[in-house]
Amino acid sequence: MTIGIAGLGAAGTYLVKRLHDAGFDVRAFDPKRPDHYIPCGYATNEFRASHFMKKIGIDFEDYILARAKNVIFTGSGMPEIPFPGRGLCTFDRNKLQRDIISDISTVNGHFSGNYDLAVDASGVSRSLLGSVRNDFLMYTKEYVSKESKHDDFYFRYFEEGRGYFWEFPLNGSYHIGAGSSDPEIISESLRGYSAIRITGRAIRLSPLFKDMVRENIMGVGESIGTVSPVTGEGILPSIESAEILFRCIDKYSDLEELQAKYQNSIRKRFDHYQKLYALLQNFRNGRRISLSNAVAVRSVSKAMREFGIDFSVWKIMRYIL
Ligand SMILES: Cc1cc2nc3c(=O)[nH]c(=O)nc-3n(C[C@H](O)[C@H](O)[C@H](O)COP(=O)(O)OP(=O)(O)OC[C@H]3O[C@@H](n4cnc5c(N)ncnc54)[C@H](O)[C@@H]3O)c2cc1C
């Protein structure tokens, strides 16, 4: 089977490395400049990241920049509430992605050619799968700054599910950013901070698990919405979706069977994202008290713990409901 991959971000670099090491005929494309600074907070769970990186011969420890001791949550009616970090850290994402593909020949350009299987790993742009009507994106803007108002990891949620502001330490500097459906809120929250670099892009918060496949194209990562709707965590979920796709490709040579198994596995693994997305939309529509919100409470805890935060939903229950 010949495989072409569009996009060498979190999911694409991991997938091409897995396939290359297993002996598949694979070609991967990405048009971004080699010195491109990835717009992202670079926060992840070091334990879960180590698990996946081990599979491709990477020692994740070498990339860690700062570890969370106390993670502060506030905003949307909540006072500042600290939760212990349980693996949350920042890491050198630019170096990691470069290193993953350092022994593979990739194409610095747009996707081209014909393949038995084409993989859309182009993130928010869905360059092969195309756009869909039920998509939901937020704007983001992020500063790399020498100063921050908090030394540890800090999240401040905006009212009515309109996104959040973050400060993440990077060992000598900070990522300070905001994601929101309202650009004004983003500008307001970043006022007074200085920047040595400014980045940003749209982020997809809608799970698109009904739109993962079209003809011989299959999506991984943010192109299919593997981003937690409450934390914006997308690095590991996207890598995990790539691992799921790799296993299916390795096991099933029939395209229809491969696509069916992959879609089932993704829906099962990321089922809690559907509940979190419903919670987000309920907040945005002023429906704070509803049965589906109560059902989503366990999914909030799950998403926070996956991100590396020892989160207790009871501490914030009254602010959710
Ligand atoms: C400001 C911001 C902060 C974030 N902070 C965090 C965080 O702290 N922790 C976390 O876990 N997640 C975070 N996320 C989310 C996370 O970065 C993404 O969800 C994750 O990178 C998705 O991985 P991916 O491989 O699907 O897409 P990406 O990593 O975005 O990779 C997509 C790649 O496709 C390429 N591409 C685009 N168009 C084409 C094309 N036509 N042909 C070929 N290639 C193409 C792009 O150049 C890019 O390299 C953040 C996102 C944003 C925007």
Side-chain angles (χ1 to χ4, degrees), residues 5-13 28-33 36 38-45 88-91 93 97 107 109-111 120-128 138-142 153 155 164 166 168 175 177-179 199-204 220-228 231-239 241 307:
I5 303 176
L8 283 164
T13 51
F29 302 79
D30 197 311
K32 68 174 178 275
R33 285 170 37 170
H36 172 76
I38 302 165
C40 175
Y42 302 5
T44 198
N45 181 329
L88 184 68
C89 69
T90 48
F91 69 104
R93 184 173 169 186
Q97 286 188 193
V107 183
H110 283 282
F111 184 86
D120 190 335
S122 66
V124 72
S125 61
R126 273 177 74 94
S127 64
L128 301 183
M138 278 193 184
Y139 308 99
T140 71
K141 191 170 185 181
E142 184 176 71
F153 289 64
F155 296 78
Y164 76 82
W166 66 87
F168 297 161
H175 271 155
T199 64
R201 67 161 172 85
I203 184 167
R204 169 168 293 115
V220 281
E222 196 173 322
S223 73
I224 57 165
T226 52
V227 180
S228 161
T231 62
E233 181 193 12
I235 302 168
L236 281 179
S238 298
I239 288 175
S241 71
F307 205 15

Side-chain angles (χ1 to χ4, degrees), residues 1-9 11-17 19-20 24-30 104-107 109-122 127-129 212 214-220 223 242 245-246 249 255 258-259:
M1 178 188 285
T2 56
I3 304 163
I5 303 176
L8 283 164
T13 51
Y14 181 86
L15 182 63
V16 72
K17 176 71 175 157
L19 291 167
H20 171 268
F24 282 91
D25 181 354
V26 58
R27 204 163 161 75
F29 302 79
D30 197 311
I104 301 173
S105 160
T106 58
V107 183
H110 283 282
F111 184 86
S112 63
N114 292 313
Y115 306 90
D116 299 320
L117 173 63
V119 179
D120 190 335
S122 66
S127 64
L128 301 183
L129 285 168
M212 289 188 268
R214 187 168 60 80
E215 295 159 6
N216 71 330
I217 305 167
M218 297 174 74
V220 281
S223 73
L245 181 56
F246 167 73
I249 293 172
L255 187 62
L258 158 60
Q259 292 184 332

Side-chain angles (χ1 to χ4, degrees), residues 68-88:
K69 287 186 201 77
N70 278 308
V71 186
I72 294 170
F73 281 84
T74 188
S76 197
M78 276 190 292
E80 289 195 355
I81 304 178
F83 296 93
R86 285 281 182 274
L88 184 68

